[in-house]
Amino acid sequence: MQQQIEFVLNGTPRRLPPGTPPTMTLLDWLRAQGLTGTKEGCAEGDCGACTVVLEEAEGARTPINACLCALGQLHGRALRSIEGLGPQHPLPRILAESDGTQCGFCTPGIVMSAWAHTREGGDPHEALAGNLCRCTGYRPILDALARMEDDGAPPPALPPRASARFGGFHLPATLAEALALRAAHPAAWLLMGGTDLGLRLSEHRERPEEVICLLNVAEMQGIGAGPSGWRIGAAAPYRALLSLCRAEPALAPLAPFFARLGSRQIRGLGTVAGNLGTASPIGDSLPVLIALGAEVELARPGGTRRLPVEAFLTGYRRTALAEDELILAVHLPRPPAGAFLAAEKLSRRHDQDISAVSLAACIEMEGGVVRAARLAFGGMDARARRCLPAEAALVGRPLDDAALRAAGKALDFAPMSDWRGSAAYRLEAARGLLRRLALRHAGLAAEVFA
Ligand SMILES: Cc1cc2nc3c(=O)[nH]c(=O)nc-3n(C[C@H](O)[C@H](O)[C@H](O)COP(=O)(O)OP(=O)(O)OC[C@H]3O[C@@H](n4cnc5c(N)ncnc54)[C@H](O)[C@@H]3O)c2cc1C
Ligand code: FES
Ligand code: FES
């Protein structure tokens, strides 16, 4: 099944020559083709100078960071770079007329984020969270965004996703194929969105011999709803999860939290499964999954098993995933009716920054006092985990400042110190996040803490 990588670039089908390295980043490849409008600023997903847009079959436009994306991931997809807008396109002109560009280095990335935004809509600040500009200041860029309109370009016709292989880069389309590949290549990278692993390609210039890219596995697609909750397929990007939180009243308190996970570019490809696979103590989705009592579904040849996320995370970047297993889905239970749900995050920057400390809470009230509480923290231990003494300190009390101070005193963490925060800072910050819950519960925090 040895094949050539094919995708639609700027409306034109491209078939890459045999031997094109499938783990070469899209950014390096574009620039080697002379498409140098796409810039390299940081090579780690932060600056957005490399932003290009995935054109989805249904017309959606997903901005992504070309510096984090391996060529093999793009097989069968359609993408547009700044050159694909053409010289007469109004967006760059509007940006220039609004004084939204000076040195111009960030400009192609900002135009591509804007091009996606004109189709996708939503908060313009959110649309720019993944694009840094050192010269202009964001006011004129936001002014320009307000004047821009969807150009109405139709979605591309795309073939159904099929299995493919490019040397050691495998792109299975079914779970059975993926599991067989996992058994045959136990040392292969398991690549999903690549917003963690892509750093090893881009920044560290690693070139793995074998990669199993799971993005196309049919059984891992989409988010499904059932009476007891939601099944989040392992390949469903954060973008889809954020849409779910915005559409589903029971999950609405989580929407502002997930809107701060990375940027639109990161959320376009990054997944909850990847957050679980990395198992970082500061992975932002993990406390939320734990507080809600989510389970991870693992597939192995011959069957599946489900584990609570708490049991799946076994230590610092360690999980219970066995050598022959893959993460198939995450099952998110519907929060108990009337439960108070909150997710809080402290990071050095409001956007596009993983947290130093985070807290997710699911608290059931009865007769004005706490009946049951689940409090899960990130950044406080080797893995995200609950704090049972703090939960116990809340039970039977009103959810007020005094109760949350008591919970803060009961924290049983000895956090690490690193450049994101000292141990002492983390403890204080966690106590502060707990006290924020009282404000949220009283409906007072919405404007203070976005
Ligand atoms: C600029 C930037 C900002 C970021 N901001 C945040 C943030 O705010 N909060 C945050 O939590 N994270 C953040 N991240 C980290 C990253 O986006 C997340 O960890 C994301 O969830 C990774 O998902 P992915 O699909 O891209 O994973 P990948 O990079 O593809 O994989 C990550 C790990 O999971 C494993 N894996 C993936 N899928 C499976 C599967 N199905 N079965 C078994 N193993 C699997 C991989 O083998 C790998 O070890 C940021 C990253 C960047 C570059
Ligand atoms: S080069 Fe900075 S995000 Fe890609
Ligand atoms: S115009 Fe110079 S970085 Fe934005």
Side-chain angles (χ1 to χ4, degrees), residues 44-46 68 190-197 214 234 238 260-262 266 269-271 274-275 277-278 282-284 321 326-327 345 352-354:
E44 55 184 22
D46 277 314
L68 296 180
L190 300 174
L191 179 66
M192 192 57 89
T195 61
D196 278 327
L197 284 179
L214 300 165
Y238 286 118
R260 283 182 62 197
L261 195 152
I266 294 295
L269 283 176
T271 61
N275 222 212
T278 298
I282 50 175
D284 277 332
L321 188 77
L326 296 170
I327 300 170
K345 157 172 176 170
Q352 177 74 323
D353 198 4
I354 200 162

mmCIF file of all heavy atoms in Angstrom, residues 44-46 68 190-197 214 234 238 260-262 266 269-271 274-275 277-278 282-284 321 326-327 345 352-354, ligand 1:
data_model
loop_
_atom_site.group_PDB
_atom_site.id
_atom_site.type_symbol
_atom_site.label_atom_id
_atom_site.label_comp_id
_atom_site.label_asym_id
_atom_site.label_seq_id
_atom_site.Cartn_x
_atom_site.Cartn_y
_atom_site.Cartn_z
ATOM 1 N N GLU A 44 7.078 26.546 17.462
ATOM 2 C CA GLU A 44 6.494 25.754 18.547
ATOM 3 C C GLU A 44 5.023 26.073 18.798
ATOM 4 O O GLU A 44 4.520 25.861 19.895
ATOM 5 C CB GLU A 44 7.306 25.865 19.828
ATOM 6 C CG GLU A 44 7.541 27.268 20.317
ATOM 7 C CD GLU A 44 8.443 27.302 21.563
ATOM 8 O OE1 GLU A 44 9.199 26.335 21.777
ATOM 9 O OE2 GLU A 44 8.365 28.292 22.306
ATOM 10 N N GLY A 45 4.347 26.580 17.810
ATOM 11 C CA GLY A 45 2.895 26.727 17.922
ATOM 12 C C GLY A 45 2.426 27.971 18.653
ATOM 13 O O GLY A 45 1.233 28.137 18.870
ATOM 14 N N ASP A 46 3.356 28.841 19.027
ATOM 15 C CA ASP A 46 2.972 29.981 19.865
ATOM 16 C C ASP A 46 2.650 31.252 19.096
ATOM 17 O O ASP A 46 1.798 32.027 19.525
ATOM 18 C CB ASP A 46 4.107 30.307 20.850
ATOM 19 C CG ASP A 46 4.061 29.416 22.076
ATOM 20 O OD1 ASP A 46 2.958 29.250 22.620
ATOM 21 O OD2 ASP A 46 5.113 28.879 22.460
ATOM 22 N N LEU A 68 3.720 22.723 13.311
ATOM 23 C CA LEU A 68 3.507 21.535 14.149
ATOM 24 C C LEU A 68 2.947 20.366 13.356
ATOM 25 O O LEU A 68 2.741 19.286 13.908
ATOM 26 C CB LEU A 68 2.534 21.864 15.301
ATOM 27 C CG LEU A 68 2.979 22.899 16.319
ATOM 28 C CD1 LEU A 68 1.910 23.092 17.387
ATOM 29 C CD2 LEU A 68 4.303 22.510 16.965
ATOM 30 N N LEU A 190 2.571 7.221 18.254
ATOM 31 C CA LEU A 190 1.123 7.296 18.006
ATOM 32 C C LEU A 190 0.791 8.773 17.875
ATOM 33 O O LEU A 190 0.849 9.511 18.855
ATOM 34 C CB LEU A 190 0.353 6.685 19.174
ATOM 35 C CG LEU A 190 0.643 5.209 19.468
ATOM 36 C CD1 LEU A 190 -0.092 4.775 20.738
ATOM 37 C CD2 LEU A 190 0.235 4.343 18.279
ATOM 38 N N LEU A 191 0.484 9.193 16.681
ATOM 39 C CA LEU A 191 0.301 10.632 16.423
ATOM 40 C C LEU A 191 -1.178 10.940 16.237
ATOM 41 O O LEU A 191 -1.867 10.290 15.450
ATOM 42 C CB LEU A 191 1.056 10.997 15.139
ATOM 43 C CG LEU A 191 0.978 12.444 14.656
ATOM 44 C CD1 LEU A 191 1.659 13.382 15.631
ATOM 45 C CD2 LEU A 191 1.623 12.573 13.268
ATOM 46 N N MET A 192 -1.658 11.936 16.998
ATOM 47 C CA MET A 192 -3.043 12.377 16.767
ATOM 48 C C MET A 192 -2.952 13.771 16.164
ATOM 49 O O MET A 192 -2.556 13.947 15.021
ATOM 50 C CB MET A 192 -3.832 12.316 18.064
ATOM 51 C CG MET A 192 -5.322 12.464 17.890
ATOM 52 S SD MET A 192 -6.081 11.261 16.789
ATOM 53 C CE MET A 192 -6.467 9.932 17.910
ATOM 54 N N GLY A 193 -3.306 14.832 16.919
ATOM 55 C CA GLY A 193 -3.230 16.183 16.346
ATOM 56 C C GLY A 193 -1.807 16.690 16.192
ATOM 57 O O GLY A 193 -1.537 17.597 15.404
ATOM 58 N N GLY A 194 -0.898 16.138 16.993
ATOM 59 C CA GLY A 194 0.507 16.542 16.886
ATOM 60 C C GLY A 194 0.835 17.855 17.583
ATOM 61 O O GLY A 194 1.925 18.389 17.398
ATOM 62 N N THR A 195 -0.071 18.370 18.419
ATOM 63 C CA THR A 195 0.245 19.645 19.067
ATOM 64 C C THR A 195 1.194 19.451 20.258
ATOM 65 O O THR A 195 1.733 20.424 20.762
ATOM 66 C CB THR A 195 -1.031 20.408 19.501
ATOM 67 O OG1 THR A 195 -1.754 19.618 20.435
ATOM 68 C CG2 THR A 195 -1.900 20.728 18.311
ATOM 69 N N ASP A 196 1.394 18.224 20.692
ATOM 70 C CA ASP A 196 2.509 17.905 21.589
ATOM 71 C C ASP A 196 3.646 17.273 20.789
ATOM 72 O O ASP A 196 4.774 17.754 20.810
ATOM 73 C CB ASP A 196 2.068 16.929 22.696
ATOM 74 C CG ASP A 196 1.375 17.639 23.853
ATOM 75 O OD1 ASP A 196 1.748 18.786 24.152
ATOM 76 O OD2 ASP A 196 0.469 17.051 24.447
ATOM 77 N N LEU A 197 3.345 16.209 20.060
ATOM 78 C CA LEU A 197 4.407 15.496 19.343
ATOM 79 C C LEU A 197 5.030 16.349 18.243
ATOM 80 O O LEU A 197 6.208 16.185 17.920
ATOM 81 C CB LEU A 197 3.851 14.198 18.742
ATOM 82 C CG LEU A 197 3.625 13.052 19.724
ATOM 83 C CD1 LEU A 197 3.044 11.848 19.005
ATOM 84 C CD2 LEU A 197 4.925 12.658 20.422
ATOM 85 N N LEU A 214 -3.337 8.473 13.889
ATOM 86 C CA LEU A 214 -4.671 7.928 14.180
ATOM 87 C C LEU A 214 -5.802 8.869 13.756
ATOM 88 O O LEU A 214 -6.977 8.571 13.995
ATOM 89 C CB LEU A 214 -4.778 7.632 15.686
ATOM 90 C CG LEU A 214 -3.748 6.629 16.214
ATOM 91 C CD1 LEU A 214 -3.677 6.669 17.732
ATOM 92 C CD2 LEU A 214 -4.093 5.221 15.729
ATOM 93 N N ALA A 234 -11.567 9.667 20.114
ATOM 94 C CA ALA A 234 -10.184 10.080 20.396
ATOM 95 C C ALA A 234 -9.680 11.100 19.373
ATOM 96 O O ALA A 234 -8.818 11.916 19.689
ATOM 97 C CB ALA A 234 -9.274 8.858 20.426
ATOM 98 N N TYR A 238 -10.345 19.576 20.048
ATOM 99 C CA TYR A 238 -10.906 20.478 21.063
ATOM 100 C C TYR A 238 -11.953 21.404 20.460
ATOM 101 O O TYR A 238 -12.903 21.805 21.128
ATOM 102 C CB TYR A 238 -9.802 21.340 21.680
ATOM 103 C CG TYR A 238 -8.894 20.608 22.622
ATOM 104 C CD1 TYR A 238 -7.536 20.483 22.349
ATOM 105 C CD2 TYR A 238 -9.375 20.046 23.798
ATOM 106 C CE1 TYR A 238 -6.691 19.818 23.222
ATOM 107 C CE2 TYR A 238 -8.536 19.380 24.670
ATOM 108 C CZ TYR A 238 -7.195 19.268 24.380
ATOM 109 O OH TYR A 238 -6.375 18.612 25.244
ATOM 110 N N ARG A 260 -9.897 28.836 26.416
ATOM 111 C CA ARG A 260 -8.545 29.288 26.754
ATOM 112 C C ARG A 260 -7.515 28.180 26.587
ATOM 113 O O ARG A 260 -6.341 28.382 26.903
ATOM 114 C CB ARG A 260 -8.513 29.782 28.212
ATOM 115 C CG ARG A 260 -9.120 31.147 28.399
ATOM 116 C CD ARG A 260 -9.003 31.570 29.844
ATOM 117 N NE ARG A 260 -7.610 31.691 30.282
ATOM 118 C CZ ARG A 260 -7.224 31.725 31.551
ATOM 119 N NH1 ARG A 260 -8.116 31.639 32.523
ATOM 120 N NH2 ARG A 260 -5.951 31.846 31.874
ATOM 121 N N LEU A 261 -7.915 27.021 26.135
ATOM 122 C CA LEU A 261 -6.944 25.952 25.914
ATOM 123 C C LEU A 261 -6.252 26.221 24.576
ATOM 124 O O LEU A 261 -6.870 26.155 23.523
ATOM 125 C CB LEU A 261 -7.633 24.587 25.925
ATOM 126 C CG LEU A 261 -6.687 23.407 26.074
ATOM 127 C CD1 LEU A 261 -7.371 22.225 26.736
ATOM 128 C CD2 LEU A 261 -6.042 22.997 24.782
ATOM 129 N N GLY A 262 -4.974 26.568 24.639
ATOM 130 C CA GLY A 262 -4.236 26.883 23.414
ATOM 131 C C GLY A 262 -4.891 28.036 22.680
ATOM 132 O O GLY A 262 -5.358 29.001 23.269
ATOM 133 N N ILE A 266 -4.403 25.588 17.856
ATOM 134 C CA ILE A 266 -4.127 24.385 18.657
ATOM 135 C C ILE A 266 -5.405 23.557 18.788
ATOM 136 O O ILE A 266 -5.389 22.328 18.661
ATOM 137 C CB ILE A 266 -3.581 24.792 20.055
ATOM 138 C CG1 ILE A 266 -2.211 25.468 19.918
ATOM 139 C CG2 ILE A 266 -3.529 23.600 21.005
ATOM 140 C CD1 ILE A 266 -1.106 24.588 19.401
ATOM 141 N N LEU A 269 -6.507 21.005 15.868
ATOM 142 C CA LEU A 269 -5.961 19.658 15.702
ATOM 143 C C LEU A 269 -5.813 18.914 17.032
ATOM 144 O O LEU A 269 -5.915 17.698 17.080
ATOM 145 C CB LEU A 269 -4.590 19.709 15.003
ATOM 146 C CG LEU A 269 -4.608 19.935 13.490
ATOM 147 C CD1 LEU A 269 -3.189 20.057 12.956
ATOM 148 C CD2 LEU A 269 -5.327 18.801 12.762
ATOM 149 N N GLY A 270 -5.540 19.639 18.111
ATOM 150 C CA GLY A 270 -5.288 18.991 19.402
ATOM 151 C C GLY A 270 -6.526 18.291 19.933
ATOM 152 O O GLY A 270 -7.659 18.696 19.661
ATOM 153 N N THR A 271 -6.290 17.234 20.714
ATOM 154 C CA THR A 271 -7.388 16.395 21.196
ATOM 155 C C THR A 271 -7.260 16.107 22.693
ATOM 156 O O THR A 271 -6.167 16.159 23.253
ATOM 157 C CB THR A 271 -7.380 15.026 20.478
ATOM 158 O OG1 THR A 271 -6.127 14.374 20.779
ATOM 159 C CG2 THR A 271 -7.532 15.174 18.976
ATOM 160 N N GLY A 274 -4.965 13.206 23.154
ATOM 161 C CA GLY A 274 -3.553 13.585 23.194
ATOM 162 C C GLY A 274 -3.160 14.133 24.551
ATOM 163 O O GLY A 274 -2.059 13.882 25.046
ATOM 164 N N ASN A 275 -4.058 14.881 25.177
ATOM 165 C CA ASN A 275 -3.822 15.387 26.542
ATOM 166 C C ASN A 275 -3.654 14.201 27.504
ATOM 167 O O ASN A 275 -2.777 14.207 28.373
ATOM 168 C CB ASN A 275 -5.012 16.246 26.958
ATOM 169 C CG ASN A 275 -4.644 17.542 27.692
ATOM 170 O OD1 ASN A 275 -5.404 17.978 28.534
ATOM 171 N ND2 ASN A 275 -3.519 18.159 27.418
ATOM 172 N N GLY A 277 -2.791 11.128 26.576
ATOM 173 C CA GLY A 277 -1.588 10.381 26.186
ATOM 174 C C GLY A 277 -0.338 11.034 26.747
ATOM 175 O O GLY A 277 0.591 10.360 27.189
ATOM 176 N N THR A 278 -0.295 12.362 26.727
ATOM 177 C CA THR A 278 0.872 13.072 27.268
ATOM 178 C C THR A 278 0.892 12.975 28.786
ATOM 179 O O THR A 278 1.951 12.880 29.402
ATOM 180 C CB THR A 278 0.834 14.551 26.827
ATOM 181 O OG1 THR A 278 0.918 14.578 25.395
ATOM 182 C CG2 THR A 278 1.987 15.342 27.403
ATOM 183 N N ILE A 282 -0.023 19.245 34.101
ATOM 184 C CA ILE A 282 -0.747 20.489 33.836
ATOM 185 C C ILE A 282 -1.626 20.386 32.590
ATOM 186 O O ILE A 282 -2.071 21.409 32.073
ATOM 187 C CB ILE A 282 0.214 21.703 33.734
ATOM 188 C CG1 ILE A 282 1.368 21.418 32.782
ATOM 189 C CG2 ILE A 282 0.728 22.087 35.111
ATOM 190 C CD1 ILE A 282 2.273 22.614 32.555
ATOM 191 N N GLY A 283 -1.867 19.190 32.101
ATOM 192 C CA GLY A 283 -2.806 19.025 30.986
ATOM 193 C C GLY A 283 -4.168 19.573 31.403
ATOM 194 O O GLY A 283 -4.730 19.135 32.413
ATOM 195 N N ASP A 284 -4.677 20.539 30.651
ATOM 196 C CA ASP A 284 -5.836 21.286 31.139
ATOM 197 C C ASP A 284 -7.136 20.495 31.156
ATOM 198 O O ASP A 284 -8.020 20.763 31.963
ATOM 199 C CB ASP A 284 -6.036 22.548 30.290
ATOM 200 C CG ASP A 284 -5.145 23.684 30.764
ATOM 201 O OD1 ASP A 284 -4.809 23.712 31.958
ATOM 202 O OD2 ASP A 284 -4.791 24.540 29.937
ATOM 203 N N LEU A 321 -1.964 2.882 29.925
ATOM 204 C CA LEU A 321 -2.083 2.358 28.552
ATOM 205 C C LEU A 321 -1.089 1.212 28.350
ATOM 206 O O LEU A 321 0.109 1.395 28.537
ATOM 207 C CB LEU A 321 -1.773 3.496 27.558
ATOM 208 C CG LEU A 321 -2.033 3.198 26.089
ATOM 209 C CD1 LEU A 321 -3.533 3.271 25.795
ATOM 210 C CD2 LEU A 321 -1.297 4.201 25.192
ATOM 211 N N LEU A 326 -4.777 1.295 22.445
ATOM 212 C CA LEU A 326 -4.951 2.659 21.933
ATOM 213 C C LEU A 326 -6.089 3.310 22.701
ATOM 214 O O LEU A 326 -7.036 2.625 23.116
ATOM 215 C CB LEU A 326 -5.333 2.634 20.444
ATOM 216 C CG LEU A 326 -4.291 2.073 19.486
ATOM 217 C CD1 LEU A 326 -4.914 1.894 18.096
ATOM 218 C CD2 LEU A 326 -3.079 2.991 19.410
ATOM 219 N N ILE A 327 -6.015 4.618 22.856
ATOM 220 C CA ILE A 327 -7.167 5.336 23.416
ATOM 221 C C ILE A 327 -8.203 5.436 22.299
ATOM 222 O O ILE A 327 -7.914 5.961 21.219
ATOM 223 C CB ILE A 327 -6.769 6.747 23.889
ATOM 224 C CG1 ILE A 327 -5.693 6.654 24.975
ATOM 225 C CG2 ILE A 327 -7.986 7.510 24.401
ATOM 226 C CD1 ILE A 327 -5.061 8.003 25.333
ATOM 227 N N LYS A 345 -8.427 28.299 35.717
ATOM 228 C CA LYS A 345 -7.056 28.100 35.237
ATOM 229 C C LYS A 345 -6.229 29.337 35.505
ATOM 230 O O LYS A 345 -6.697 30.446 35.267
ATOM 231 C CB LYS A 345 -7.142 27.809 33.738
ATOM 232 C CG LYS A 345 -5.913 28.078 32.898
ATOM 233 C CD LYS A 345 -6.121 27.537 31.486
ATOM 234 C CE LYS A 345 -4.948 27.885 30.581
ATOM 235 N NZ LYS A 345 -4.987 27.205 29.290
ATOM 236 N N GLN A 352 -3.567 30.991 25.114
ATOM 237 C CA GLN A 352 -2.458 30.299 24.450
ATOM 238 C C GLN A 352 -1.365 29.932 25.438
ATOM 239 O O GLN A 352 -0.187 30.039 25.160
ATOM 240 C CB GLN A 352 -1.935 31.236 23.334
ATOM 241 C CG GLN A 352 -0.753 30.799 22.525
ATOM 242 C CD GLN A 352 -1.102 29.736 21.540
ATOM 243 O OE1 GLN A 352 -1.922 28.856 21.805
ATOM 244 N NE2 GLN A 352 -0.512 29.756 20.373
ATOM 245 N N ASP A 353 -1.758 29.548 26.624
ATOM 246 C CA ASP A 353 -0.759 29.187 27.623
ATOM 247 C C ASP A 353 -1.335 28.084 28.499
ATOM 248 O O ASP A 353 -2.442 28.217 29.017
ATOM 249 C CB ASP A 353 -0.423 30.416 28.484
ATOM 250 C CG ASP A 353 0.901 30.242 29.224
ATOM 251 O OD1 ASP A 353 1.569 29.214 29.001
ATOM 252 O OD2 ASP A 353 1.250 31.130 30.009
ATOM 253 N N ILE A 354 -0.579 27.031 28.645
ATOM 254 C CA ILE A 354 -1.009 25.947 29.522
ATOM 255 C C ILE A 354 -0.953 26.469 30.966
ATOM 256 O O ILE A 354 -0.230 27.415 31.258
ATOM 257 C CB ILE A 354 -0.095 24.718 29.278
ATOM 258 C CG1 ILE A 354 -0.736 23.431 29.756
ATOM 259 C CG2 ILE A 354 1.275 24.934 29.862
ATOM 260 C CD1 ILE A 354 -0.090 22.193 29.170
HETATM 261 C C1 LIG B 1 1.232 26.526 21.565
HETATM 262 C C2 LIG B 1 0.641 25.423 22.375
HETATM 263 C C3 LIG B 1 -0.308 25.725 23.339
HETATM 264 C C4 LIG B 1 -0.839 24.717 24.123
HETATM 265 N N1 LIG B 1 -1.730 25.053 25.071
HETATM 266 C C5 LIG B 1 -2.233 24.097 25.873
HETATM 267 C C6 LIG B 1 -3.145 24.432 26.910
HETATM 268 O O1 LIG B 1 -3.531 25.588 27.072
HETATM 269 N N2 LIG B 1 -3.587 23.415 27.704
HETATM 270 C C7 LIG B 1 -3.174 22.118 27.534
HETATM 271 O O2 LIG B 1 -3.580 21.240 28.276
HETATM 272 N N3 LIG B 1 -2.334 21.768 26.546
HETATM 273 C C8 LIG B 1 -1.839 22.730 25.725
HETATM 274 N N4 LIG B 1 -0.961 22.387 24.745
HETATM 275 C C9 LIG B 1 -0.536 20.985 24.606
HETATM 276 C C10 LIG B 1 -1.360 20.152 23.591
HETATM 277 O O3 LIG B 1 -2.097 20.974 22.730
HETATM 278 C C11 LIG B 1 -2.324 19.212 24.311
HETATM 279 O O4 LIG B 1 -1.635 18.359 25.198
HETATM 280 C C12 LIG B 1 -3.163 18.357 23.349
HETATM 281 O O5 LIG B 1 -4.219 17.778 24.092
HETATM 282 C C13 LIG B 1 -2.382 17.270 22.630
HETATM 283 O O6 LIG B 1 -3.284 16.595 21.756
HETATM 284 P P1 LIG B 1 -2.813 16.074 20.312
HETATM 285 O O7 LIG B 1 -3.961 15.388 19.688
HETATM 286 O O8 LIG B 1 -2.203 17.184 19.558
HETATM 287 O O9 LIG B 1 -1.706 15.020 20.753
HETATM 288 P P2 LIG B 1 -0.402 14.461 20.021
HETATM 289 O O10 LIG B 1 0.682 15.475 20.053
HETATM 290 O O11 LIG B 1 -0.734 13.883 18.689
HETATM 291 O O12 LIG B 1 -0.060 13.262 21.030
HETATM 292 C C14 LIG B 1 0.205 13.517 22.392
HETATM 293 C C15 LIG B 1 0.471 12.190 23.107
HETATM 294 O O13 LIG B 1 -0.713 11.409 23.180
HETATM 295 C C16 LIG B 1 -0.513 10.138 22.576
HETATM 296 N N5 LIG B 1 -1.750 9.767 21.902
HETATM 297 C C17 LIG B 1 -2.512 10.577 21.127
HETATM 298 N N6 LIG B 1 -3.628 9.923 20.717
HETATM 299 C C18 LIG B 1 -3.547 8.672 21.237
HETATM 300 C C19 LIG B 1 -4.403 7.528 21.162
HETATM 301 N N7 LIG B 1 -5.559 7.538 20.490
HETATM 302 N N8 LIG B 1 -4.021 6.407 21.822
HETATM 303 C C20 LIG B 1 -2.861 6.395 22.528
HETATM 304 N N9 LIG B 1 -2.012 7.449 22.630
HETATM 305 C C21 LIG B 1 -2.358 8.572 21.997
HETATM 306 C C22 LIG B 1 0.653 10.335 21.630
HETATM 307 O O14 LIG B 1 1.320 9.125 21.362
HETATM 308 C C23 LIG B 1 1.503 11.324 22.409
HETATM 309 O O15 LIG B 1 2.261 10.646 23.381
HETATM 310 C C24 LIG B 1 -0.428 23.377 23.926
HETATM 311 C C25 LIG B 1 0.497 23.058 22.921
HETATM 312 C C26 LIG B 1 1.037 24.075 22.160
HETATM 313 C C27 LIG B 1 2.024 23.724 21.096
#
